[in-house]
Amino acid sequence: MSPRRRVRFATRALLLHLAAVALVVALCTGVYLALAVQQLRAEAESTALGIARTLAEDAQVRAAVSAVSASDDEPDAEVLRDGELQQIAAAVTARTGALFVVITDDQGIRLAHPLPSRLGEVVSTPFAEVLAGHEVVDWQTGTLGESARAKVPVRDDSGTPVGEISVGFERAGVFDDLPPLLAALGLTAAGALALALLTFLLLRRRWERLTIGVQPEELVALVQNQTAVLDGVGDGVLAVDQDGVVRVSNAAADRLLRLHDPVGRTVDTLPLPPVVRETATGARARAEAVVGDRMLYLESRAVRRDGRALGDVLIVRDRTDLIALTERLEAVRTMTSALRVQRHEFANRLHVAAGLIDAGRVDDARAFLGELVSRGPVAFPVAGLDLVGDPFLNAFLGAKGVEAAERGVALRIGYETQLIGTVRRAEDVASVLGNLVDNAVVAAVAGTREPRWVDVSVLSDGDALVVTVADSGEGLRPSDPRPRSDDASVDSVHGHGIGLPLATEIARRSGGDLWIIDPGSPGHGAVFAARLGDAVDPAPRVPKEDP
C-alpha cells in the first residue's frame, strides 16, 4: 500500500477519534453548564427567600407595615423616605448585596424601595398571591430589570397578611461565578482534546508496531490470502511467535501432528515429540520425526520483517508413503541385484560348458552339466540359506547376502530357522527384514570385531512371521535405540533416521511389533526382533503315502 493511502487512513482515524472526543466533551460541558446555571439560579432564589422571610418575621417591620395598612390615609412619600422601613431595607440591601429590598402595604404601595422616587407608588409586579398568604419565588422583570426575587407576606399579630417583602438579586450578580466556570470548562475540554490526540498518537504507534506497519486494508488481504494458502496446501504449517506461542496452525498441521486447537497455546504444552518442539522453536533447521503412524519431514524457517524477528514457521511434510515406496523399491532393487548376479554366474557356467563342447571334450562338458544339475541354482554367499524354504525369502536373503559380502560382512542363517508355509505379504516383510539386515550390516562394518557377520533367524508362528537379526558390531549407544555407524555415506532417512520407526510401524500395523532383545554384549552386537502378523500362509498338510 502506498504511503499516501496510509496517511489518508491515519488522518481519517485521527479525525474520527477527535470528533468522538469533541462530541463527548461538548455533551459533558453542556450538561455540566446547565447544572451549574440551575444551581446558581436555585441558590439565588433560596438566598432571596431566606432574606425575605427574615425581614417578614422582624417585629419592627411587622409593626410598621401593620400600622400603615391599618391607617386610612395614604402613605406620605416624604415621610417614607426618612422612615424606619426605608432605613431597614437600605441596610439589608447593603449588607446582603441584593439588587433591591422592597416593602409594601396591603395595597401594594411601596413603603421601602432602593429608589426613593418610587416610594408611595404601587409595585410593578403582581402582589395579589402574596397578600393571599402565599410565598412566591420566581424570575421577574420590574423597574430595576430582570432579577431572581422572592416575595413573602408580612402578617400582623393575628396572622393576616398586611403587606409583602420582596427581595431580588440581579441576573448579572447571580451569574458572576459563571465566567470563571466557563473558563475552567474550556481549559478542561482543551486538555481532554489534547489528551485524546496524544492517546491516539500512542495507540497508532502501538498499533503499527503490533501490525508491523500493515494497514487494515492489507490485513484483510492477508487474512484472505492466508486462508487460501493454508487451506490449499497439503503441507502442515505451524507458526510460533518469539514467546513460543502457536499463532497459526492449518488443518494439515493439526492432522499430521495430532493436535487439537493448538492456537494460543505454547509449544511446550502441546503433546509433541521433543524433536518437533525443537524444530518448531528454531532450535533445529531440519529434522525427521515419527508422529503416530506418519513419517514426517520438518523444516523450520525464521520469520523477520524490517530486521525484527517475529518467530518461526514450521513446515511439516508427510513422507510416509514416499518412504514406504522407497523401502519397497529397495527390496525390488535387492531382488534385481540378486537376479543380476545369478544371471551373470549362469552365463559364466554356460560359457564354460560351451567351451568344453567346442574343444571336443564332450564327456567333460556332460560331467560339468551333471554337476550343475546336482548342485542346483547359483549359490548365494549365505550360510544356511537352504533352511529357508520360501522362494521369495530365500532369494531376498540371498540378495542381501551378496550386498553384505561386497562390504566384507558374512550373512548367516540361524540353525533354529523354521518357516512352515509361504510368505504372502512380501512388501511388508521385505521392508521390515531388509531394514533390520541393512542396519546390522552397517553396525558390523562400523565395529571392530573380526570376522564381521550378521545372523538372521526366521520362524513361523501360525500366520505370523518372527525374525531375529544379530550382528558383530559394538551394540547400541545408551541414548540411541539404533545401531551405531560411522559411515557418512549411509542415508540417515532411509537407514537410521526413519527406516527403523517405519519398520516398527509396519509391524505394529499388522498386530505385531519390533523390539530390542539385547542392546549388545562382549560376544556380539545388538539383537533385534520383529513379529509381523498375517504374513505367512501355512502350508497345507499332505498325507503320507503308504509304503
Side-chain angles (χ1 to χ4, degrees), residues 393-458:
L393 208 55
N394 186 289
F396 181 76
L397 290 174
K400 286 296 181 183
V402 173
E403 292 183 349
E406 292 176 353
R407 305 189 65 178
V409 179
L411 182 63
R412 307 181 306 206
I413 304 300
Y415 65 89
E416 67 275 15
T417 294
Q418 184 177 14
L419 177 60
I420 302 176
T422 58
V423 173
R424 59 183 173 188
R425 292 176 55 201
E427 294 179 350
D428 290 347
V429 172
S431 295
V432 175
L433 182 57
N435 191 274
L436 293 178
V437 172
D438 289 342
N439 286 351
V441 170
V442 172
V445 171
T448 58
R449 293 188 180 96
E450 293 290 346
R452 295 182 174 90
W453 52 265
V454 171
D455 279 354
V456 178
S457 297
V458 181

Side-chain angles (χ1 to χ4, degrees), residues 38-59:
Q38 183 179 0
Q39 182 178 2
L40 291 176
R41 288 170 63 97
E43 289 179 356
E45 293 171 356
S46 177
T47 302
L49 181 61
I51 295 173
R53 285 175 175 175
T54 302
L55 281 177
E57 296 295 329
D58 186 85

Side-chain angles (χ1 to χ4, degrees), residues 8 52 67 115 134 238 267-268 296 301 308 317 336 353-354 386 480 487 504 533 543:
R8 191 161 60 242
L115 299 177
H134 302 289
L238 191 76
V267 176
D268 294 337
L296 306 179
R301 299 177 182 177
R308 176 186 172 191
R317 296 185 176 93
T336 303
D386 55 335
D480 186 2
D487 189 351
T504 303

